[in-house]
Amino acid sequence: MAQRLEIKATLRPFQKQLEEALKRFNVLVCHRRFGKTVFCVYRLVRQALECDNRAPRFAYVAPLYKQAKQVAWDYLQSLAGLIPGTKVNQAELRVDLANGARIQLYGADNPDALRGIYLDGVVLDEYAQMSPRMWSEVIRPTLADRQGWAIFIGTPQGKNAFYDLYQKAKDLPEWYRTRLKASQTGVMQEAELQAARLEMSENEYNQEFECSWSAAIKGAYYARALQQAEQENRTTTVPWETTLPVHTAWDLGVDDATCIWFFQQAGREIRVIDFYEAQGHGLTHYVRTLQQKPYIYGDHLLPHDVKVRELGTGRSRLEVLQSLGIRAKVVPQLGVEDGINAVRAILPRCWFDSEKCARGVEALSQYRSDYDEARGLFRGQPLHDWTSHAADAFRYLAVGIQEITPGGHRPRFAVMEEERQVDVFKEDRDSFHHPRPSFAEM
């Protein structure tokens, strides 16, 4: 079976070199039309044939489930179909080989589908478009029992988690990395590359074909403003000022993630000091998370749909949060475009803590307009992916910041715990005050 597969699936010279160079973990930064998806599907099928483990399991993961189907399913069916005894499950995007091995397609937009399984190998395609937690919290644990392998593939989309992984792989013995530019591989004819240069902006060409990390993300709403913040050293260590209240802005997920930004106002400055994101928890979890932080809170900005009553309980999430001690302010309902403009208006006033807000800032930098590849134009609405929740929460910050109560803060804040009300802060608040440099000295 393996011999027949080798004859039918002819690899290009650079693909053959990759096949020989791969280690357990691999970061492959490849230009468009290199053939990275075909190569990785080939790798999955070959490894499924050769794996000696009982009931081998392999996975291909794209940013969205529909992407996995569009990009890889036909390749997987045709390649696995060369092997006698292969069974194809169209409904589950799965092939089962005669030796008991299984290869299945997944989307990073449904991480729960990957929880609790084991894998002998996995391919993460267009990893730059995935949440960093997809690897660390979802995929990596699935490989532990079998000492499974992983391949990350994609083209750069700014200096994000994919870039960080590429840098990290340089010094780790179990990791292999490579960056394959169109000008190096010879996969595309020079005439095609010249035509692409004429049709694309210099930024787009450098990103897609020369694998440039510094090229701007196509359609990113806030990339330029965040680059300016970086240049002006407004992404740095931003200390918590104990004399000012800490306000929060929330995006409340049901099946998706919930994100919370923590910020203070000092004159015209908006000091974004912290960020939190989690998934699969009730409201009490998030209130307790606030409790565990040393901040003294002001107002909590919530989206307008927080007032909708749930059919099961007859209560709205706003009422639940208020019962838990949250001093909520519902932000005005504006269109997404107006909210994006509100964010752009305040970003020049924002300072971000580079450590505590790293994940949130990365989400903001990658938040972009949905792009129709077939028609070559933007759809006029944001792409809904892992960046959306942090970006929505920051949009509520921008829209609702005028609604914040001026002046001081509430002296107490409470949550419900085990059917009784418990103070969040002790009477002696001095125990939460730690020495820190003055913001003006930073």
Side-chain angles (χ1 to χ4, degrees), residues 241-257:
E241 175 54 62
T242 60
T243 63
L244 295 175
V246 175
H247 309 288
T248 66
W250 303 45
D251 177 58
L252 291 166
V254 179
D255 298 322
D256 293 330

Side-chain angles (χ1 to χ4, degrees), residues 26-83:
N26 308 273
V27 184
L28 312 182
V29 184
C30 308
H31 66 80
R32 291 294 177 203
R33 311 311 304 162
F34 172 79
K36 54 186 178 294
T37 301
V38 176
F39 168 76
C40 286
V41 171
Y42 163 83
R43 173 76 175 177
L44 285 168
V45 174
R46 179 174 174 178
Q47 290 289 303
L49 284 170
E50 297 176 354
C51 185
D52 294 328
N53 292 334
R54 184 180 62 83
R57 295 292 182 264
F58 297 86
Y60 169 95
V61 185
L64 304 173
Y65 185 71
K66 65 179 182 180
Q67 282 180 282
K69 183 175 182 180
Q70 291 169 352
V71 173
W73 180 237
D74 287 344
Y75 293 139
L76 180 58
Q77 284 189 96
S78 61
L79 203 53
L82 300 172
I83 304 165

Side-chain angles (χ1 to χ4, degrees), residues 263-284:
F263 65 100
Q264 296 182 294
Q265 287 186 277
R268 285 186 50 79
E269 289 180 351
I270 302 170
R271 303 175 182 178
V272 189
I273 62 172
D274 208 343
F275 175 79
Y276 181 75
E277 179 179 3
Q279 186 171 350
H281 300 286
L283 293 175
T284 303

Side-chain angles (χ1 to χ4, degrees), residues 167-188:
Q167 298 299 326
K168 174 184 174 182
K170 178 181 178 181
D171 301 316
L172 298 177
E174 281 193 303
W175 287 72
Y176 169 75
R177 71 170 197 173
T178 189
R179 186 156 63 118
L180 299 170
K181 306 175 183 179
S183 58
Q184 297 173 329
T185 64
V187 170
M188 299 185 67

Side-chain angles (χ1 to χ4, degrees), residues 176-384:
Y176 169 75
R177 71 170 197 173
T178 189
R179 186 156 63 118
L180 299 170
K181 306 175 183 179
S183 58
Q184 297 173 329
T185 64
V187 170
M188 299 185 67
Q189 296 181 359
E190 184 58 32
E192 284 297 314
L193 294 178
Q194 289 293 347
R197 285 192 185 96
L198 293 175
E199 296 169 3
M200 305 170 71
S201 70
E202 183 179 1
N203 252 343
E204 290 173 339
Y205 182 85
N206 287 336
Q207 177 179 295
E208 299 292 327
F209 290 103
E210 291 302 294
C211 300
S212 170
W213 296 108
S214 60
I217 300 173
K218 183 164 55 179
Y221 291 112
Y222 311 130
R224 184 175 299 177
L226 291 170
Q227 287 174 359
Q228 184 177 351
E230 189 81 31
Q231 293 168 359
E232 296 175 355
N233 200 32
R234 288 187 286 111
T235 303
T236 181
T237 300
V238 181
W240 163 47
E241 175 54 62
T242 60
T243 63
L244 295 175
V246 175
H247 309 288
T248 66
W250 303 45
D251 177 58
L252 291 166
V254 179
D255 298 322
D256 293 330
T258 288
C259 293
I260 306 173
W261 292 95
F262 300 76
F263 65 100
Q264 296 182 294
Q265 287 186 277
R268 285 186 50 79
E269 289 180 351
I270 302 170
R271 303 175 182 178
V272 189
I273 62 172
D274 208 343
F275 175 79
Y276 181 75
E277 179 179 3
Q279 186 171 350
H281 300 286
L283 293 175
T284 303
H285 166 83
Y286 299 102
V287 176
R288 287 177 178 164
T289 297
L290 268 64
Q291 169 192 355
Q292 292 165 4
K293 295 179 180 290
Y295 311 137
I296 300 173
Y297 293 95
D299 292 320
H300 303 276
L301 303 177
L302 302 172
H304 65 276
D305 59 2
V306 76
K307 295 186 290 186
V308 176
R309 295 184 181 275
E310 298 182 358
L311 294 178
T313 64
R315 302 176 72 196
S316 68
R317 288 182 290 176
L318 175 61
E319 291 171 331
V320 174
L321 287 169
Q322 287 174 334
S323 73
L324 296 175
I326 289 290
R327 177 177 167 176
K329 283 190 177 295
V330 179
V331 304
Q333 184 175 357
L334 293 182
V336 174
E337 184 176 351
D338 290 332
I340 289 172
N341 288 333
V343 171
R344 285 172 169 157
I346 69 165
L347 279 175
R349 299 162 49 198
C350 291
W351 296 70
F352 294 92
D353 188 280
S354 56
E355 181 177 345
K356 293 181 180 178
C357 299
R359 176 173 168 78
V361 171
E362 182 174 326
L364 290 180
S365 68
Q366 293 193 54
Y367 185 58
R368 62 197 182 279
S369 178
D370 196 3
Y371 188 74
D372 188 330
E373 295 285 354
R375 298 167 63 194
L377 50 82
F378 292 104
R379 293 191 171 94
Q381 61 188 18
L383 174 68
H384 184 77

